[in-house]
Amino acid sequence: MKNIPSSVLEVLRRQARQAAARSHVPYSNRPAGAVLLLEDGRLVPGVRVESASFSLTIPALLNAFTTAVAARRHDVVAAVLSHASDAGEAAFMTATPAGTFTPAGPDAFVRPGTGPLPAPAGLLSPFLDVERPDDPGAGLRLAREVARRAHVPASNFPVGCVLETAEGLVPGVNVEHEDWARILCAERNALGTAVTYGLTKLHTLYLSCLRDPDGTPCGACRQLLTEQAPALVLWMDRGAAPPASSRPEALLPGFFSGGALRKPAL
């Protein structure tokens, strides 16, 4: 395939297919995966995460790019899907947080001007390399630090969160796109990363909105969090005031579960 050596392409395709198998697709039974190649050869996967509110579904490509941004990795050189790209995915790739990408085949994109692609060198770790917080204040201080990684060229409204799982601490930031239908908030960023990496034991979420001392999850994040982790302990930064605590199910009582829309697994 043009611009991507066949040996590299095969590894990326295999990783995209493996990622797709971890998709959360109870309403379509149509798994989708993506994988990004970084300059040092590390790979960043992403999977489709469906919502009972269909318009809130997280596409695989967006999931992968937001994971990369939260990890402070903007050095993406190529992206490969588990399927042929559609018009929406092609449009997203013209203005990603890592720049503009051009098609290199039906399921692949490369960054213009990229030289020889590096050999794939394993998955990027999704975890923060820090100790687990021993109290809510420590968790919220981490969330404030993570918020500085946000990609917010339009709003200048950085938000950061840290999702504590049994396996480690997952960062999340809000990531904007010139098409606001393709942005993703910090909470859904972290949640999408957790689903992609198969992290199922979600304990606590620490959330900080640097410019809003009364910040809480938006309606879209409340919906996804309630679907995926209704009993998650949520700590919200209040600056100099004591932090506020809640759970997703309390923030969105009577949420739409979509139970009647689920399809039997294939």
Side-chain angles (χ1 to χ4, degrees), residues 105-180:
D107 59 353
F109 299 85
V110 296
R111 191 176 70 196
T114 298
L117 293 179
L123 294 183
L124 181 74
S125 170
F127 304 118
L128 294 172
D129 187 17
V130 296
E131 296 292 328
R132 290 179 183 270
D134 54 11
D135 59 58
L140 291 171
R141 286 192 292 273
L142 278 177
R144 290 174 205 156
E145 294 176 10
V146 167
R148 296 183 175 89
R149 306 179 181 188
H151 179 73
V152 288
S155 71
N156 191 30
F157 188 81
V159 180
C161 72
V162 175
L163 177 60
E164 186 170 4
T165 75
E167 296 85 355
L169 303 175
V170 177
V173 297
N174 50 333
V175 179
E176 294 178 353
H177 188 275
E178 62 181 27
D179 176 357
W180 274 51

Side-chain angles (χ1 to χ4, degrees), residues 15 41 45 67 74 80 105 141 204 219 228 241-243:
Q15 290 290 339
T67 294
H74 293 254
V80 171
R141 286 192 292 273
T204 307
Q228 295 286 335

